[in-house]
Amino acid sequence: MDFEQTWAILASAFTQIHEKQASKLSFEELYRNAYKIVLKKKGDELYLRVAEFERDWLSSEIERRIHKELPPQLMNALQGRSSAGSVGDDQVRTQGERFLRQLKLAWEDHQTCMSMLTDVLMYMDRVYCADTRRPSIFTTAMSLFRDCILRSHVRGDDSWPDICGTLNHVILDQIRMERDGDFIDKHLIKANVYMLEGLYDSHHEVEEEKLYLTSFEYEFLASSAEFYRALGDRLLKESDAGQYCRETRKRIDEENDRCRSTLLESTTPKIQKVVEDELIRYRMKDLIESESGVRFMITNERHDDLALVFDLEARVDPRKPELTKALQKIILEMGTNLNDAAQLGAAAEAPEDRAKAPADKLVNQQTVAALKWVEDVLELKDKFDAMWKQSFQSDQTIHTAIMRSSAEFINSHPRCAEYMSLFIDDNMKKGIKGKTELEIEALLNKAIVLLRYVQEKDVFELYYKKHLGKRLLMGRSLSIDVEKQMIFRMKMELGNNFTAKLEGMFKDMTLSEELTAGYKGYVARLGDADPRRIDLAINVLTSMTWPVETTNSAPDDARESRLKTIYPPAMERIRQGFENYYKEKYSGRMLDWKGNMGTVDVKVTFPKVPSKGFKERRHELNVSTYAMLILLLFNDLPSGASLSLEEIQARTNIPTNELVRNLQSLAVAPKTRILLKEPMSKDVKDTDKFFFNEGFMGKFHKVKIGIVSAGNRIENDRERVETEKKNNDSRGYAIEAAVVRIMKQRKELSHQQLVTETITQLNSQFKPDVNMIKKRIESLIEREYLERIEDSPSSSYRYLA
Amino acid sequence: MAYSLEKKAELHSALARNMERMFFSGRYSDLVVRCGAMQWRVHKAVLCPQCPFFERACDGTFKEAEEGVITLQDDEPFAVQCMLHFLYFATYSDDYHWIDAGPDYDDENVSEDVAELSEGEGVIEQLPPMLINVHVYVLADKYDIPHLGKIAARKFEERASNNPFSEDFAKAAVMVYTAAVDRDRELRTIVVSVANDIAHNFGKTTIGEVFRKVASTIPALGSDLWQNLAEFNEMGAAEYNHSRCPKGCGWFLPLTSIAEGSEGKLVCMKCSTASEKGEWIATEVDAEGLTREEAWLEIVKFA
């Protein structure tokens, strides 16, 4: 066998194959010849000859064809060396497409021919290449395409980019056109992309060295970043935030589509990141803070736009830091506005009116403002809750942010706990009237939700106890059932400790009912069927359970509190009677009577007043226990006689402040003026004289004489200071208890750790003040519960058993 | 689809019968394979999946694809038939049975009837089966049908070891060492091991003479034989290494297997005379001093 002769046969056949005239060739003949060459150990030479053949073909014929499609205009345009705008976009585009088509054609031809050659040279690949570990002839031919075509420089000029670079330019140019809204031939580009995907940067065929990655993709991403940076700038300037979001989404979708239809899907995540970086990550802050940003959207209820903002930021960062930050800021601002409004509302007319209007009126105003504040807070919360569900996909991070900033502004209001309790109080007394169960349920839920935000739970408990106590004792609650539901919810939310005392109050009420009934039966059994017997309804309150205000009648000074109220004999008898009955039942318990809390129905007969043409009138007056005591004094007084305030006090021992208040409601309030005062004025002075008003005229048989400001309302400043003091005291105890508990368990602990643990333990009740903890620790050391550990590096304590 | 063994066997035999009918009748054939004076009407569906050569020939854009005829020019017709047979039945027979089925092939004739030699082409030289197997082996390599190569090697080994003293074996040895297959040494190993088994009789038989000549003309064969023997020596009769024939013929390595065969004497491979073990003269050259090539030269000198 002669090699040259055999090769000549093959070479001429290869030429025919490249010229697409293969159908006359016999596969068997070519295969056989190649087989023979390899058999004769000439595989090496055959291999080299084929490679040489391909190199010649590519760099003469094919290169020429491709360079023909690169006219100078196109090259200039691609290089940005466009000559005086003579070349229109359209022409560049057409020329670019022709170049792409030619390159695609060349590549596809090359592949077809090479796969035919590979078939013919199958034996060489299998035997020679395998034995010598050479790449298959196909692989080599593909590298040749890369070297001879893609790496060749246009017109052999090194200052021009090579074909590969030119290809990048053309493709990027086309993509730019498409981004600007033009239609382009996607299949054409895709074919060229497949070529880059099929070739490698070097003869090591590793994934990372695909030409698509090393040559094209990098430039594509870089130019895209540039494009979107500019677009971001323009959009921020020209359109509102909603539009920006919509545009961004559209662009991201477009890029995804482009990867699918024009480039490669493996680029999708990378270009997405570019768009996300340029249009979202680097812009989110500006976008959210822009004039039409999140604040605008919230104010104008643009739920869809908010959803878009959320969606965009969620793409780049699951924590959504910018949106979260903005939301928190906005909530805090809105909340602070509410707080300010509440304070303003409370103080609005205060300065000028203080002189004229009674303090009570001011207090009422404040109460209204307090209730409004709670309503507003609820409304704000509802608004953001709705937004959270509608626009933010009920996202956890956002939820936390809303919660946190809500809690922040709510707690920044110094009287939030009191306001919340007042809000519940108001609803219990009035709000739930005529509401369905469902509505009440919703209301209770709202109350609980608000409660969740309040940090100083202990303060809230204090107020709630006070308000609840008054509601219970004065029968002002519309539904004990709802009250109990409320307590149950608190229990669920805050735990047993929190509600134990509140539940105790309900228990007292039930027990008291039983006692009253039991006492009635007891009296009946005594056989004392006095028709003038006074009916007694009694509430026995456990002193530790009920708020201190109820059990101590807020004495002005200590002396007064020691004085015992003097009851008239008829009353005193009943009092004794009940006390006996009670002691029989529960021996060893002290009963302390609270005249300031009770009410009495008194039947009063007003005499004829001929001068005014009045007949004798009977009224049933509902008055406080103290008022009753005062009125009874006038029973024994001749008509026209008077008593001074001092006299009344001396005969009843009613504490001054209570006395003044009761006299005010009896003698000053215009509709319930059972007594007349001299001189007639609003204030009650020690020297004022009081007369029985024989000429009282009431429209109804029953007259209720309220005590001024007996209802639950916002505290005045003095009361507040007191509450605070009380609260601080109870906090002090709580802290001491916690410290002792911790030290008992740990025996020795550093100061820092002790403080931290104490705060952790008490956090559910209130946020302890570090100074207060320090003071309490000092006090415990003084009382020898703890001692300092002397030579410890950091200050530490030891528990003394 | 879990079939019982019986069921499977049944299905397989049914399939095999179908293949048989297709192959022998040539019905539904869509491809003609020609070789020499022979032609077979075959089926692309059978050939192409098993053989890349046929696949490319049929799928490509060459003449064969268009005409539906593949002519195998250089190959041995009967070996080609064996190859086709293998593609249909996963085995072949190396006895001569020409199959040149025409369209009027009748089912009745399948079982025992064998096709006849193609008329008109005159006499086709009938190759001995042992050589046919070598040819088939070569085809299996050429057309990339590895399993066929295995079967051919096995059949060759069987034929060779059953008939080692035949002239066919010598011819086969020549062909194995001169023709295509140089890569996996499968046939060479067989040749060498068979030759080794009969080597002690080389001196007494005509075939031995033929074989010796063959071995001396093909360096690769001689070299393989030498190596095989040397390895054997290392295992069995190390003490006779590098001894020279006492008759002075120049042969210097005893063939150990021979030694046990002739009443404790060692037979010289060159002059075929038997000598007592002790008569063999230890040589001065040792393992390091005598390269394989030098040893080989010693062997070929006398040929």
Side-chain angles (χ1 to χ4, degrees):
Chain A
M1 185 215 65
D2 178 35
F3 176 82
E4 289 304 334
Q5 215 174 339
T6 316
W7 166 247
I9 296 171
L10 289 176
S12 107
F14 290 171
T15 312
Q16 277 174 282
I17 287 174
H18 281 91
E19 282 164 358
K20 297 184 185 165
Q21 292 160 349
S23 60
K24 291 284 164 285
L25 297 170
S26 159
F27 175 67
E28 189 272 341
E29 185 192 355
L30 301 177
Y31 185 90
R32 172 162 40 88
N33 282 314
Y35 169 74
K36 275 199 272 183
I37 292 177
V38 177
L39 217 54
K40 295 295 172 201
K41 311 233 175 273
K42 293 276 173 44
D44 194 44
E45 207 167 339
L46 177 60
Y47 190 92
L48 292 176
R49 288 290 181 92
V50 175
E52 197 182 318
F53 179 91
E54 282 307 315
R55 190 190 306 277
D56 283 352
W57 175 260
L58 287 171
S59 49
S60 61
E61 184 60 25
I62 304 299
E63 193 186 353
R64 188 180 52 77
R65 287 186 205 168
I66 287 168
H67 285 190
K68 215 175 67 196
E69 298 300 341
L70 288 170
Q73 300 105 296
L74 177 64
M75 294 305 290
N76 283 330
L78 293 175
Q79 288 295 292
R81 301 187 211 160
S82 185
S83 49
S86 60
V87 182
D89 223 26
D90 254 6
Q91 199 181 340
V92 171
R93 177 199 170 121
T94 322
Q95 287 173 343
E97 279 176 3
R98 278 173 58 184
F99 164 71
L100 290 178
R101 209 161 283 135
Q102 187 58 252
L103 196 54
K104 170 187 173 215
L105 198 67
W107 169 248
E108 286 171 355
D109 281 354
H110 185 61
Q111 286 211 300
T112 314
C113 293
M114 279 324 294
S115 77
M116 288 172 81
L117 258 61
T118 302
D119 287 351
V120 168
L121 300 169
M122 204 162 26
Y123 195 80
M124 179 185 79
D125 268 342
R126 181 157 56 90
V127 175
Y128 166 73
C129 295
D131 285 354
T132 53
R133 295 171 189 279
R134 287 241 181 187
S136 74
I137 190 68
F138 188 85
T139 309
T140 304
M142 293 302 121
S143 316
L144 282 173
F145 188 85
R146 175 196 67 216
D147 295 340
C148 299
I149 301 297
L150 295 184
R151 298 250 162 98
S152 77
H153 286 269
V154 180
R155 283 183 288 280
D157 183 349
D158 278 359
S159 66
W160 294 94
D162 59 10
I163 297 291
C164 199
T166 312
L167 175 65
N168 286 348
H169 276 303
V170 172
I171 296 179
L172 293 178
D173 208 42
Q174 297 259 324
I175 287 174
R176 180 186 57 72
M177 291 178 208
E178 192 184 38
R179 280 183 182 144
D180 289 345
D182 256 351
F183 287 99
I184 57 169
D185 188 342
K186 295 173 181 172
H187 293 292
L188 193 54
I189 297 177
K190 184 97 177 177
N192 280 287
V193 163
Y194 274 143
M195 171 182 74
L196 294 176
E197 162 80 357
L199 291 173
Y200 295 84
D201 199 32
S202 69
H203 64 277
H204 307 290
E205 298 203 340
V206 283
E207 274 302 298
E208 299 79 49
E209 290 193 359
K210 285 188 168 172
L211 273 188
Y212 177 78
L213 296 178
T214 57
S215 157
F216 175 73
E217 195 183 57
Y218 172 77
E219 286 202 33
F220 168 67
L221 295 176
S223 77
S224 299
E226 205 175 303
F227 173 82
Y228 283 111
R229 203 170 302 134
L231 182 71
D233 273 340
R234 205 175 38 153
L235 283 178
L236 268 185
K237 267 186 222 129
E238 290 172 6
S239 40
D240 71 26
Q243 263 175 312
Y244 184 100
C245 294
R246 276 185 286 275
E247 179 77 18
T248 303
R249 267 187 81 143
K250 196 186 97 195
R251 291 289 180 173
I252 290 174
D253 290 346
E254 270 177 19
E255 291 300 335
N256 285 353
D257 286 346
R258 180 166 300 118
C259 287
R260 211 172 304 127
S261 65
T262 316
L263 304 175
L264 290 179
E265 300 235 27
S266 61
T267 305
T268 310
K270 299 177 196 166
I271 183 66
Q272 253 189 35
K273 187 175 176 309
V274 167
V275 183
E276 284 169 358
D277 277 351
E278 295 300 337
L279 289 187
I280 307 175
R281 196 168 281 125
Y282 307 150
R283 304 282 184 183
M284 210 58 199
K285 196 166 165 3
D286 293 343
L287 178 70
I288 282 173
E289 289 172 358
S290 72
E291 219 164 285
S292 55
V294 167
R295 185 187 307 276
F296 173 84
M297 294 174 185
I298 289 174
T299 323
N300 295 290
E301 311 252 330
R302 295 273 173 88
H303 289 291
D304 293 346
D305 289 355
L306 284 170
L308 281 173
V309 173
F310 172 81
D311 190 57
L312 287 189
E313 202 180 12
R315 276 171 171 282
V316 299
D317 192 337
R319 291 173 297 119
K320 296 149 289 259
E322 294 300 336
L323 181 59
T324 312
K325 238 193 290 175
L327 276 177
Q328 282 182 313
K329 203 170 144 209
I330 290 165
I331 293 175
L332 211 58
E333 271 174 29
M334 292 173 95
T336 312
N337 282 347
L338 289 187
N339 290 351
D340 293 349
Q343 261 153 27
L344 218 67
E349 294 153 60
E352 39 187 306
D353 284 5
R354 189 173 281 280
K356 285 175 262 166
D360 285 342
K361 202 168 174 187
L362 181 70
V363 163
N364 274 337
Q365 239 172 28
Q366 284 175 336
T367 310
V368 170
L371 291 176
K372 178 153 184 337
W373 178 79
V374 178
E375 296 278 3
D376 287 348
V377 169
L378 277 175
E379 199 187 312
L380 186 70
K381 215 196 113 40
D382 282 350
K383 182 184 165 108
F384 278 96
D385 276 353
M387 201 184 297
W388 177 63
K389 285 202 191 96
Q390 248 183 299
S391 307
F392 300 146
Q393 297 172 18
S394 301
D395 177 77
Q396 198 50 48
T397 322
I398 300 282
H399 188 242
T400 317
I402 295 178
M403 288 280 285
R404 201 167 284 159
S405 34
S406 298
E408 194 177 329
F409 87 76
I410 288 174
N411 284 302
S412 75
H413 194 290
R415 304 171 85 159
C416 64
E418 185 188 356
Y419 283 11
M420 303 252 168
S421 178
L422 258 182
F423 170 76
I424 298 174
D425 183 69
D426 186 64
N427 273 298
M428 288 295 181
K429 288 192 302 204
K430 289 181 267 178
I432 60 171
K433 205 171 199 169
K435 280 195 174 146
T436 65
E437 246 173 71
L438 269 179
E439 285 169 329
I440 292 174
E441 176 105 6
L443 190 87
L444 295 183
N445 267 339
K446 276 184 186 174
I448 286 295
V449 165
L450 282 186
L451 188 53
R452 223 173 270 164
Y453 290 115
V454 176
Q455 222 157 40
E456 303 188 312
K457 301 266 188 327
D458 59 336
V459 180
F460 174 81
E461 186 193 354
L462 215 64
Y463 282 110
Y464 197 79
K465 246 158 74 176
K466 184 174 137 187
H467 293 152
L468 174 65
K470 280 198 181 158
R471 285 205 297 280
L472 289 178
L473 291 179
M474 300 170 73
R476 299 288 299 273
S477 235
L478 287 176
S479 159
I480 292 297
D481 221 38
V482 178
E483 290 278 10
K484 283 187 176 162
Q485 277 183 45
M486 188 73 223
I487 301 295
F488 179 72
R489 274 157 201 270
M490 288 186 190
K491 194 169 171 175
M492 301 299 288
E493 188 68 29
L494 305 169
N496 254 337
N497 274 351
F498 186 80
T499 50
K501 285 184 181 170
L502 299 176
E503 283 175 306
M505 290 165 74
F506 283 99
K507 212 153 94 200
D508 277 355
M509 293 305 286
T510 321
L511 269 179
S512 298
E513 264 172 47
E514 282 166 17
L515 273 174
T516 308
Y519 178 63
K520 228 177 217 164
Y522 165 79
V523 172
R525 275 196 304 281
L526 284 181
D528 181 6
D530 183 358
R532 294 185 55 209
R533 197 190 73 237
I534 297 166
D535 271 342
L536 178 72
I538 205 121
N539 286 323
V540 180
L541 313 179
T542 315
S543 61
M544 286 309 286
T545 311
W546 290 71
V548 201
E549 291 94 329
T550 347
T551 42
N552 284 333
S553 52
D556 275 353
D557 58 72
R559 180 187 59 82
E560 270 186 352
S561 67
R562 279 197 298 276
L563 288 175
K564 273 205 163 169
T565 314
I566 301 167
Y567 293 94
M571 301 282 299
E572 188 59 29
R573 206 164 53 242
I574 300 173
R575 209 167 74 93
Q576 282 298 330
F578 181 78
E579 237 168 71
N580 289 340
Y581 167 76
Y582 187 79
K583 275 182 182 150
E584 225 169 81
K585 269 187 104 110
Y586 310 97
S587 60
R589 288 201 189 169
M590 277 282 295
L591 279 177
D592 186 16
W593 295 76
K594 298 290 168 192
N596 58 327
M597 299 303 298
T599 59
V600 183
D601 289 340
V602 198
K603 287 178 182 154
V604 185
T605 311
F606 293 93
K608 266 194 216 165
V609 184
S611 59
K612 290 190 180 171
F614 286 180
K615 289 181 191 156
E616 189 181 83
R617 288 142 289 126
R618 288 171 188 279
H619 282 283
E620 203 172 299
L621 303 181
N622 178 274
V623 296
S624 74
T625 309
Y626 284 142
M628 181 267 293
L629 293 182
I630 298 167
L631 287 180
L632 282 183
L633 295 180
F634 289 90
N635 245 359
D636 309 328
L637 222 58
S639 177
S642 70
L643 288 168
S644 73
L645 186 140
E646 278 171 326
E647 282 172 304
I648 294 174
Q649 184 163 32
R651 291 169 63 177
T652 58
N653 271 354
I654 298 174
T656 317
N657 61 337
E658 292 285 342
L659 184 60
V660 169
R661 264 166 50 186
N662 276 294
L663 284 173
Q664 264 178 344
S665 46
L666 286 172
V668 178
K671 281 183 185 156
T672 58
R673 213 168 275 174
I674 311 295
L675 300 181
L676 295 172
K677 187 167 84 79
E678 206 184 87
M680 190 54 212
S681 66
K682 276 189 176 170
D683 295 336
V684 177
K685 295 195 182 72
D686 280 2
T687 51
D688 285 354
K689 287 202 157 91
F690 296 90
F691 301 86
F692 183 62
N693 181 6
E694 290 179 347
F696 173 78
M697 185 66 200
K699 278 182 191 152
F700 304 101
H701 176 63
K702 282 192 175 180
V703 179
K704 186 170 169 66
I705 297 165
I707 304 165
V708 175
S709 68
N712 283 331
R713 42 135 187 93
I714 192 155
E715 286 179 321
N716 58 35
D717 291 342
R718 191 175 56 79
E719 287 169 318
R720 227 185 119 58
V721 171
E722 236 165 70
T723 311
E724 236 164 53
K725 187 175 158 292
K726 258 181 294 194
N727 197 39
N728 276 342
D729 288 349
S730 69
R731 280 187 181 183
Y733 297 134
I735 292 173
E736 277 184 12
V739 168
V740 170
R741 237 186 346 262
I742 293 164
M743 290 307 291
K744 191 168 182 177
Q745 193 194 12
R746 307 288 291 268
K747 303 300 178 211
E748 283 180 20
L749 212 55
S750 78
H751 174 79
Q752 201 48 48
Q753 271 176 304
L754 181 58
V755 170
T756 315
E757 281 203 31
T758 309
I759 291 175
T760 318
Q761 276 212 4
L762 296 173
N763 229 353
S764 69
Q765 301 170 44
F766 59 95
K767 211 172 160 191
D769 178 37
V770 178
N771 276 330
M772 197 187 268
I773 298 178
K774 265 188 207 159
K775 271 187 202 147
R776 288 294 147 182
I777 294 175
E778 295 293 329
S779 150
L780 284 171
I781 291 172
E782 260 167 47
R783 285 178 281 159
E784 299 191 336
Y785 280 98
L786 309 177
E787 67 173 7
R788 281 186 213 283
I789 300 175
E790 287 304 334
D791 30 272
S792 156
S794 59
S795 76
S796 313
Y797 308 106
R798 179 180 296 123
Y799 180 70
L800 299 172
Chain B
M1 291 221 286
Y3 289 121
S4 66
L5 277 179
E6 292 77 19
K7 182 79 181 166
K8 265 187 190 162
E10 201 180 299
L11 285 171
H12 281 149
S13 68
L15 266 175
R17 273 201 302 281
N18 283 339
M19 292 298 274
E20 209 171 85
R21 287 170 59 146
M22 273 168 57
F23 182 55
F24 288 113
S25 74
R27 288 181 77 184
Y28 312 116
S29 157
D30 49 4
L31 180 69
V32 173
V33 172
R34 287 196 182 127
C35 181
M38 303 301 296
Q39 76 168 26
W40 301 265
R41 303 152 128 281
V42 291
H43 307 79
K44 290 181 188 170
V46 177
L47 265 52
C48 297
Q50 302 183 69
C51 173
F53 171 80
F54 286 114
E55 187 187 350
R56 300 299 202 286
C58 294
D59 289 356
T61 50
F62 292 97
K63 195 174 70 182
E64 284 88 345
E66 204 173 304
E67 296 176 349
V69 177
I70 299 176
T71 309
L72 306 176
Q73 285 217 7
D74 278 2
D75 300 331
E76 174 60 40
F78 191 74
V80 169
Q81 176 168 299
C82 290
M83 173 174 77
L84 295 175
H85 200 276
F86 169 82
L87 293 175
Y88 279 82
F89 305 113
T91 183
Y92 68 90
S93 156
D94 49 10
D95 287 331
Y96 268 90
H97 295 291
W98 282 112
I99 300 152
D100 185 20
D104 50 6
Y105 173 83
D106 186 2
D107 265 3
E108 308 293 303
N109 302 338
V110 178
S111 49
E112 291 304 319
D113 252 15
V114 290
E116 287 160 22
L117 264 167
S118 181
E119 316 272 338
E121 267 298 317
V123 182
I124 294 176
E125 189 201 353
Q126 291 211 358
L127 288 168
M130 209 188 294
L131 280 174
I132 285 294
N133 286 322
V134 176
H135 277 286
V136 173
Y137 187 88
V138 169
L139 286 188
D141 172 67
K142 179 176 177 184
Y143 297 126
D144 197 9
I145 316 174
H147 193 58
L148 177 61
K150 292 258 174 349
I151 289 181
R154 211 162 59 224
K155 283 181 182 290
F156 170 70
E157 186 174 22
E158 203 184 304
R159 293 269 183 196
S161 47
N162 282 343
N163 213 353
F165 297 106
S166 66
E167 209 173 315
D168 290 349
F169 179 61
K171 281 186 188 166
V174 173
M175 187 175 170
V176 164
Y177 274 87
T178 51
V181 199
D182 195 28
R183 292 186 299 126
D184 43 19
R185 308 186 63 85
E186 204 174 357
L187 292 187
R188 295 185 179 206
T189 313
I190 296 169
V191 167
V192 169
S193 100
V194 172
N196 192 26
D197 283 347
I198 60 164
H200 61 289
N201 285 326
F202 274 4
K204 296 168 188 163
T205 55
T206 43
I207 183 64
E209 196 57 38
V210 172
F211 200 81
R212 267 210 305 273
K213 272 187 184 151
V214 167
S216 63
T217 48
I218 304 170
L221 174 57
S223 155
D224 285 351
L225 277 172
W226 150 265
Q227 193 177 11
N228 190 284
L229 293 172
E231 276 162 18
F232 193 90
N233 277 338
E234 272 165 42
M235 293 184 306
E239 72 263 34
Y240 304 120
N241 263 349
H242 315 302
S243 299
R244 198 176 288 277
C245 175
K247 304 293 177 219
C249 67
W251 188 262
F252 64 95
L253 262 187
L255 297 175
T256 35
S257 62
I258 302 164
E260 316 312 326
S262 4
E263 301 107 31
K265 292 181 176 175
L266 297 175
V267 181
C268 174
M269 200 178 160
K270 187 173 176 188
C271 55
S272 299
T273 48
S275 314
E276 292 295 329
K277 279 181 191 174
E279 293 178 70
W280 285 78
I281 308 148
T283 52
E284 288 84 40
V285 281
D286 57 10
E288 283 83 28
L290 190 71
T291 64
R292 185 186 298 175
E293 284 70 26
E294 286 169 326
W296 172 245
L297 284 176
E298 289 292 320
I299 294 177
V300 293
K301 246 186 241 161
F302 80 98

